mmCIF file with all atom_site columns, all heavy atoms in Angstrom:
data_model
loop_
_atom_site.group_PDB
_atom_site.id
_atom_site.type_symbol
_atom_site.label_atom_id
_atom_site.label_alt_id
_atom_site.label_comp_id
_atom_site.label_asym_id
_atom_site.label_entity_id
_atom_site.label_seq_id
_atom_site.pdbx_PDB_ins_code
_atom_site.Cartn_x
_atom_site.Cartn_y
_atom_site.Cartn_z
_atom_site.occupancy
_atom_site.B_iso_or_equiv
_atom_site.pdbx_formal_charge
_atom_site.auth_seq_id
_atom_site.auth_comp_id
_atom_site.auth_asym_id
_atom_site.auth_atom_id
_atom_site.pdbx_PDB_model_num
ATOM 1   N N   . GLU A 1 192 ? -137.442 103.137 -64.678 1.00 0.00 ? 1614 GLU A N   1
ATOM 2   C CA  . GLU A 1 192 ? -137.911 102.219 -65.715 1.00 0.00 ? 1614 GLU A CA  1
ATOM 3   C C   . GLU A 1 192 ? -138.500 100.935 -65.167 1.00 0.00 ? 1614 GLU A C   1
ATOM 4   O O   . GLU A 1 192 ? -139.462 100.401 -65.694 1.00 0.00 ? 1614 GLU A O   1
ATOM 5   C CB  . GLU A 1 192 ? -136.744 101.860 -66.626 1.00 0.00 ? 1614 GLU A CB  1
ATOM 6   C CG  . GLU A 1 192 ? -136.842 102.531 -67.947 1.00 0.00 ? 1614 GLU A CG  1
ATOM 7   C CD  . GLU A 1 192 ? -135.825 102.002 -68.909 1.00 0.00 ? 1614 GLU A CD  1
ATOM 8   O OE1 . GLU A 1 192 ? -134.883 101.315 -68.486 1.00 0.00 ? 1614 GLU A OE1 1
ATOM 9   O OE2 . GLU A 1 192 ? -136.002 102.285 -70.101 1.00 0.00 ? 1614 GLU A OE2 1
ATOM 10  N N   . ASP A 1 193 ? -137.880 100.453 -64.084 1.00 0.00 ? 1615 ASP A N   1
ATOM 11  C CA  . ASP A 1 193 ? -138.372 99.191  -63.513 1.00 0.00 ? 1615 ASP A CA  1
ATOM 12  C C   . ASP A 1 193 ? -139.445 99.424  -62.461 1.00 0.00 ? 1615 ASP A C   1
ATOM 13  O O   . ASP A 1 193 ? -139.948 98.486  -61.857 1.00 0.00 ? 1615 ASP A O   1
ATOM 14  C CB  . ASP A 1 193 ? -137.218 98.418  -62.864 1.00 0.00 ? 1615 ASP A CB  1
ATOM 15  C CG  . ASP A 1 193 ? -136.125 98.134  -63.867 1.00 0.00 ? 1615 ASP A CG  1
ATOM 16  O OD1 . ASP A 1 193 ? -136.446 98.067  -65.056 1.00 0.00 ? 1615 ASP A OD1 1
ATOM 17  O OD2 . ASP A 1 193 ? -134.954 98.009  -63.449 1.00 0.00 ? 1615 ASP A OD2 1
ATOM 18  N N   . GLY A 1 194 ? -139.722 100.712 -62.187 1.00 0.00 ? 1616 GLY A N   1
ATOM 19  C CA  . GLY A 1 194 ? -140.728 101.007 -61.166 1.00 0.00 ? 1616 GLY A CA  1
ATOM 20  C C   . GLY A 1 194 ? -140.273 100.579 -59.787 1.00 0.00 ? 1616 GLY A C   1
ATOM 21  O O   . GLY A 1 194 ? -141.079 100.209 -58.937 1.00 0.00 ? 1616 GLY A O   1
ATOM 22  N N   . CYS A 1 195 ? -138.964 100.649 -59.588 1.00 0.00 ? 1617 CYS A N   1
ATOM 23  C CA  . CYS A 1 195 ? -138.420 100.191 -58.317 1.00 0.00 ? 1617 CYS A CA  1
ATOM 24  C C   . CYS A 1 195 ? -138.215 101.394 -57.405 1.00 0.00 ? 1617 CYS A C   1
ATOM 25  O O   . CYS A 1 195 ? -137.299 102.182 -57.605 1.00 0.00 ? 1617 CYS A O   1
ATOM 26  C CB  . CYS A 1 195 ? -137.112 99.471  -58.629 1.00 0.00 ? 1617 CYS A CB  1
ATOM 27  S SG  . CYS A 1 195 ? -136.094 99.210  -57.230 1.00 0.00 ? 1617 CYS A SG  1
ATOM 28  N N   . PHE A 1 196 ? -139.141 101.593 -56.438 1.00 0.00 ? 1618 PHE A N   1
ATOM 29  C CA  . PHE A 1 196 ? -138.987 102.718 -55.514 1.00 0.00 ? 1618 PHE A CA  1
ATOM 30  C C   . PHE A 1 196 ? -139.541 102.379 -54.146 1.00 0.00 ? 1618 PHE A C   1
ATOM 31  O O   . PHE A 1 196 ? -140.378 101.503 -54.000 1.00 0.00 ? 1618 PHE A O   1
ATOM 32  C CB  . PHE A 1 196 ? -139.662 103.989 -56.059 1.00 0.00 ? 1618 PHE A CB  1
ATOM 33  C CG  . PHE A 1 196 ? -141.160 103.892 -56.234 1.00 0.00 ? 1618 PHE A CG  1
ATOM 34  C CD1 . PHE A 1 196 ? -142.014 104.436 -55.294 1.00 0.00 ? 1618 PHE A CD1 1
ATOM 35  C CD2 . PHE A 1 196 ? -141.703 103.265 -57.356 1.00 0.00 ? 1618 PHE A CD2 1
ATOM 36  C CE1 . PHE A 1 196 ? -143.390 104.374 -55.463 1.00 0.00 ? 1618 PHE A CE1 1
ATOM 37  C CE2 . PHE A 1 196 ? -143.081 103.194 -57.527 1.00 0.00 ? 1618 PHE A CE2 1
ATOM 38  C CZ  . PHE A 1 196 ? -143.932 103.747 -56.584 1.00 0.00 ? 1618 PHE A CZ  1
ATOM 39  N N   . THR A 1 197 ? -139.022 103.069 -53.147 1.00 0.00 ? 1619 THR A N   1
ATOM 40  C CA  . THR A 1 197 ? -139.481 102.856 -51.776 1.00 0.00 ? 1619 THR A CA  1
ATOM 41  C C   . THR A 1 197 ? -139.598 104.220 -51.109 1.00 0.00 ? 1619 THR A C   1
ATOM 42  O O   . THR A 1 197 ? -139.231 105.226 -51.698 1.00 0.00 ? 1619 THR A O   1
ATOM 43  C CB  . THR A 1 197 ? -138.469 102.033 -50.960 1.00 0.00 ? 1619 THR A CB  1
ATOM 44  O OG1 . THR A 1 197 ? -137.204 102.688 -51.059 1.00 0.00 ? 1619 THR A OG1 1
ATOM 45  C CG2 . THR A 1 197 ? -138.365 100.612 -51.431 1.00 0.00 ? 1619 THR A CG2 1
ATOM 46  N N   . THR A 1 198 ? -140.068 104.233 -49.880 1.00 0.00 ? 1620 THR A N   1
ATOM 47  C CA  . THR A 1 198 ? -140.174 105.501 -49.177 1.00 0.00 ? 1620 THR A CA  1
ATOM 48  C C   . THR A 1 198 ? -138.783 105.986 -48.765 1.00 0.00 ? 1620 THR A C   1
ATOM 49  O O   . THR A 1 198 ? -137.847 105.207 -48.659 1.00 0.00 ? 1620 THR A O   1
ATOM 50  C CB  . THR A 1 198 ? -141.035 105.361 -47.906 1.00 0.00 ? 1620 THR A CB  1
ATOM 51  O OG1 . THR A 1 198 ? -140.535 104.266 -47.167 1.00 0.00 ? 1620 THR A OG1 1
ATOM 52  C CG2 . THR A 1 198 ? -142.484 105.135 -48.248 1.00 0.00 ? 1620 THR A CG2 1
ATOM 53  N N   . VAL A 1 199 ? -138.677 107.286 -48.543 1.00 0.00 ? 1621 VAL A N   1
ATOM 54  C CA  . VAL A 1 199 ? -137.414 107.904 -48.140 1.00 0.00 ? 1621 VAL A CA  1
ATOM 55  C C   . VAL A 1 199 ? -137.328 107.878 -46.616 1.00 0.00 ? 1621 VAL A C   1
ATOM 56  O O   . VAL A 1 199 ? -138.240 108.339 -45.931 1.00 0.00 ? 1621 VAL A O   1
ATOM 57  C CB  . VAL A 1 199 ? -137.361 109.364 -48.663 1.00 0.00 ? 1621 VAL A CB  1
ATOM 58  C CG1 . VAL A 1 199 ? -136.155 110.104 -48.107 1.00 0.00 ? 1621 VAL A CG1 1
ATOM 59  C CG2 . VAL A 1 199 ? -137.362 109.366 -50.176 1.00 0.00 ? 1621 VAL A CG2 1
ATOM 60  N N   . GLU A 1 200 ? -136.239 107.318 -46.095 1.00 0.00 ? 1622 GLU A N   1
ATOM 61  C CA  . GLU A 1 200 ? -136.079 107.279 -44.639 1.00 0.00 ? 1622 GLU A CA  1
ATOM 62  C C   . GLU A 1 200 ? -135.877 108.700 -44.133 1.00 0.00 ? 1622 GLU A C   1
ATOM 63  O O   . GLU A 1 200 ? -134.975 109.396 -44.593 1.00 0.00 ? 1622 GLU A O   1
ATOM 64  C CB  . GLU A 1 200 ? -134.823 106.465 -44.257 1.00 0.00 ? 1622 GLU A CB  1
ATOM 65  C CG  . GLU A 1 200 ? -135.026 104.975 -44.286 1.00 0.00 ? 1622 GLU A CG  1
ATOM 66  C CD  . GLU A 1 200 ? -133.741 104.237 -43.884 1.00 0.00 ? 1622 GLU A CD  1
ATOM 67  O OE1 . GLU A 1 200 ? -133.158 104.576 -42.848 1.00 0.00 ? 1622 GLU A OE1 1
ATOM 68  O OE2 . GLU A 1 200 ? -133.352 103.340 -44.639 1.00 0.00 ? 1622 GLU A OE2 1
ATOM 69  N N   . ASN A 1 201 ? -136.733 109.154 -43.245 1.00 0.00 ? 1623 ASN A N   1
ATOM 70  C CA  . ASN A 1 201 ? -136.611 110.487 -42.666 1.00 0.00 ? 1623 ASN A CA  1
ATOM 71  C C   . ASN A 1 201 ? -137.220 111.579 -43.532 1.00 0.00 ? 1623 ASN A C   1
ATOM 72  O O   . ASN A 1 201 ? -137.179 112.738 -43.165 1.00 0.00 ? 1623 ASN A O   1
ATOM 73  C CB  . ASN A 1 201 ? -135.144 110.867 -42.454 1.00 0.00 ? 1623 ASN A CB  1
ATOM 74  C CG  . ASN A 1 201 ? -134.823 110.985 -41.005 1.00 0.00 ? 1623 ASN A CG  1
ATOM 75  O OD1 . ASN A 1 201 ? -135.730 111.040 -40.184 1.00 0.00 ? 1623 ASN A OD1 1
ATOM 76  N ND2 . ASN A 1 201 ? -133.553 111.014 -40.695 1.00 0.00 ? 1623 ASN A ND2 1
ATOM 77  N N   . GLY A 1 202 ? -137.725 111.221 -44.686 1.00 0.00 ? 1624 GLY A N   1
ATOM 78  C CA  . GLY A 1 202 ? -138.289 112.237 -45.578 1.00 0.00 ? 1624 GLY A CA  1
ATOM 79  C C   . GLY A 1 202 ? -139.703 111.844 -45.945 1.00 0.00 ? 1624 GLY A C   1
ATOM 80  O O   . GLY A 1 202 ? -140.245 110.892 -45.388 1.00 0.00 ? 1624 GLY A O   1
ATOM 81  N N   . ASP A 1 203 ? -140.319 112.571 -46.903 1.00 0.00 ? 1625 ASP A N   1
ATOM 82  C CA  . ASP A 1 203 ? -141.694 112.215 -47.220 1.00 0.00 ? 1625 ASP A CA  1
ATOM 83  C C   . ASP A 1 203 ? -141.887 111.796 -48.676 1.00 0.00 ? 1625 ASP A C   1
ATOM 84  O O   . ASP A 1 203 ? -143.008 111.723 -49.154 1.00 0.00 ? 1625 ASP A O   1
ATOM 85  C CB  . ASP A 1 203 ? -142.677 113.321 -46.810 1.00 0.00 ? 1625 ASP A CB  1
ATOM 86  C CG  . ASP A 1 203 ? -142.238 114.678 -47.281 1.00 0.00 ? 1625 ASP A CG  1
ATOM 87  O OD1 . ASP A 1 203 ? -141.387 114.728 -48.184 1.00 0.00 ? 1625 ASP A OD1 1
ATOM 88  O OD2 . ASP A 1 203 ? -142.708 115.673 -46.747 1.00 0.00 ? 1625 ASP A OD2 1
ATOM 89  N N   . GLY A 1 204 ? -140.792 111.528 -49.386 1.00 0.00 ? 1626 GLY A N   1
ATOM 90  C CA  . GLY A 1 204 ? -140.943 111.045 -50.762 1.00 0.00 ? 1626 GLY A CA  1
ATOM 91  C C   . GLY A 1 204 ? -141.304 109.570 -50.778 1.00 0.00 ? 1626 GLY A C   1
ATOM 92  O O   . GLY A 1 204 ? -141.056 108.847 -49.815 1.00 0.00 ? 1626 GLY A O   1
ATOM 93  N N   . GLY A 1 205 ? -141.907 109.139 -51.876 1.00 0.00 ? 1627 GLY A N   1
ATOM 94  C CA  . GLY A 1 205 ? -142.114 107.707 -52.093 1.00 0.00 ? 1627 GLY A CA  1
ATOM 95  C C   . GLY A 1 205 ? -143.379 107.130 -51.487 1.00 0.00 ? 1627 GLY A C   1
ATOM 96  O O   . GLY A 1 205 ? -143.701 105.978 -51.740 1.00 0.00 ? 1627 GLY A O   1
ATOM 97  N N   . ASP A 1 206 ? -144.120 107.926 -50.699 1.00 0.00 ? 1628 ASP A N   1
ATOM 98  C CA  . ASP A 1 206 ? -145.350 107.415 -50.114 1.00 0.00 ? 1628 ASP A CA  1
ATOM 99  C C   . ASP A 1 206 ? -146.522 107.962 -50.939 1.00 0.00 ? 1628 ASP A C   1
ATOM 100 O O   . ASP A 1 206 ? -146.965 109.092 -50.742 1.00 0.00 ? 1628 ASP A O   1
ATOM 101 C CB  . ASP A 1 206 ? -145.447 107.869 -48.649 1.00 0.00 ? 1628 ASP A CB  1
ATOM 102 C CG  . ASP A 1 206 ? -146.730 107.385 -47.989 1.00 0.00 ? 1628 ASP A CG  1
ATOM 103 O OD1 . ASP A 1 206 ? -147.594 106.813 -48.698 1.00 0.00 ? 1628 ASP A OD1 1
ATOM 104 O OD2 . ASP A 1 206 ? -146.874 107.579 -46.772 1.00 0.00 ? 1628 ASP A OD2 1
#
Side-chain angles (χ1 to χ4, degrees):
E1614 254 189 346
D1615 302 334
C1617 165
F1618 63 100
T1619 54
T1620 51
V1621 172
E1622 280 181 50
N1623 247 346
D1625 48 18
D1628 179 353

